[in-house]
Amino acid sequence: MSPPSRRLQTKPVITCLKTFLISYSLIFWVTGVILLAVGVWGKVSLETYFSLAAEESTNAPYVLIGTGAIIVIFGLFGCFATCRGSPWMLKLYAMFLTLVFLAELVAGVSGFIFRHEIKATLNNGYKNAVIKYNGTESKNPVDTIQRNLHCCGVYNYTDWNNTKYFQEKGIPVSCCKDSDNCSPETLKDLAKAENVVYTTGCFVLVSTTMENNLGIIAGISFGIAFFQLIGMFLACCLSRYITNNQYEMV
C-alpha cells in the first residue's frame, strides 16, 4: 500500500486526468456523430457516382457510418469508465480507441487512394452507361448527373450520336437547358440541338465532384483519427495511476 502522503499527492493528478478524460469522451461522442453524418452525407451525395463505378467503388462511406455509430456508443462508455475509475474498463476504452484509430485510417486512405484512381474508373463507367442508356429507368444515373451538373455526354453532347438511343429518340431530355424548348425533332438533329442542350461533357465535372467530396471525407477521417491518440494517452495514464497507487474512486 502506498504511503498516505503519496496517495494524497496523486489524488489531484488522478482527479485532473479524470476531468480531462471525461471532457475528451464527450468530445469523442460528438466526433462520432460527425463521422456518422459525414458517412451518410457521402453515401447519399455520391450514390449516383458510385453506381457508375460499382465494380471498384470505395467502402469509405460505409466504414464511416459504422465507425461513427459505434463511437456514439463507446463515447458514453468512456464517460462511465472514467467515473468508475476501473483500470480494466479504462484499458478496454484505450483498446477501442486504437481500433477506431485504425478503422478511420483505413477509411481515410481508401477515400484518398480512390480519389486519385477515379478518373479512369469513371471514364469507363460513364461511357458504358451512355452506350447502354435506354431512357426507361426512373432514376437513371446518367439523367441525374446531366440534370444536376448541367452537362451532356461523356466529353460533349455529340457523344450521343454514337448510341442506339440517339438513332431512335435523339439526345436525352435530361441534356436540355429548358425542356419546353426541346422538341423530339430538335433533339434528333445535332446542329439544332447545340442551341438548346448543355454542350459541356460530364466526365470532367463528375470526376472533379467525386475527387472533391472524397477528399473531404478523407480529410475529416484523418483529422478525427489522430484525435483518438489523445484519448489513448489519457486513458492509459489514468489506468496506470489508479493501478500503481491502488487508488479507489468513490
Side-chain angles (χ1 to χ4, degrees):
M1 179 71 67
S2 300
S5 59
R6 185 178 177 182
R7 293 179 64 189
L8 289 174
Q9 291 174 357
T10 58
K11 184 174 181 179
V13 176
I14 294 177
T15 302
C16 183
L17 286 173
K18 175 183 174 182
T19 302
F20 277 123
L21 190 54
I22 288 178
S23 300
Y24 169 86
S25 296
L26 292 175
I27 297 174
F28 182 56
W29 183 86
V30 173
T31 63
V33 176
I34 293 174
L35 272 181
L36 185 60
V38 170
V40 172
W41 167 78
K43 170 62 179 170
V44 173
S45 64
L46 302 180
E47 176 65 25
T48 300
Y49 310 114
F50 284 147
S51 66
L52 295 177
E55 294 182 356
E56 301 179 45
S57 179
T58 177
N59 291 320
Y62 296 103
V63 174
L64 290 177
I65 291 173
T67 303
I70 296 174
I71 284 178
V72 169
I73 297 173
F74 272 84
L76 298 176
F77 174 80
C79 292
F80 178 73
T82 305
C83 292
R84 281 292 302 271
S86 171
W88 73 267
M89 291 179 70
L90 290 169
K91 290 177 182 177
L92 180 62
Y93 185 46
M95 290 177 60
F96 169 73
L97 290 176
T98 302
L99 293 177
V100 170
F101 173 76
L102 295 175
E104 289 170 349
L105 279 184
V106 169
V109 170
S110 174
F112 186 78
I113 292 177
F114 189 73
R115 175 171 172 256
H116 292 287
E117 295 180 345
I118 198 168
K119 286 189 176 181
T121 303
L122 279 177
N123 187 22
N124 294 330
Y126 201 78
K127 281 182 178 179
N128 291 333
V130 168
I131 292 174
K132 296 177 181 178
Y133 180 86
N134 53 29
T136 59
E137 299 178 32
S138 58
K139 293 184 179 180
N140 189 289
V142 172
D143 288 329
T144 301
I145 289 173
Q146 291 185 152
R147 289 194 182 97
N148 293 343
L149 299 184
H150 296 169
C151 56
C152 188
V154 181
Y155 303 110
N156 58 61
Y157 76 104
T158 60
D159 292 329
W160 286 103
N161 186 45
N162 301 318
T163 65
K164 181 178 179 180
Y165 182 84
F166 180 84
Q167 307 304 323
E168 298 176 355
K169 300 181 180 179
I171 298 175
V173 178
S174 57
C175 283
C176 295
K177 298 176 182 178
D178 185 350
S179 58
D180 294 334
N181 296 329
C182 287
S183 63
E185 293 74 19
T186 301
L187 293 176
K188 290 181 180 180
D189 188 324
L190 289 178
K192 294 179 180 179
E194 183 179 7
N195 298 319
V196 297
V197 302
Y198 300 111
T199 56
T200 304
C202 296
F203 170 63
V204 174
L205 296 177
V206 169
S207 60
T208 299
T209 300
M210 283 288 284
E211 286 179 349
N212 292 340
N213 287 332
L214 287 177
I216 292 174
I217 292 177
I220 292 177
S221 296
F222 282 130
I224 295 180
F226 285 101
F227 178 68
Q228 318 306 342
L229 296 176
I230 300 175
M232 295 179 214
F233 174 77
L234 290 174
C236 290
C237 284
L238 182 56
S239 175
R240 188 191 65 175
Y241 266 98
I242 293 174
T243 301
N244 291 346
N245 295 281
Q246 298 179 349
Y247 182 82
E248 295 182 0
M249 305 298 290
V250 179

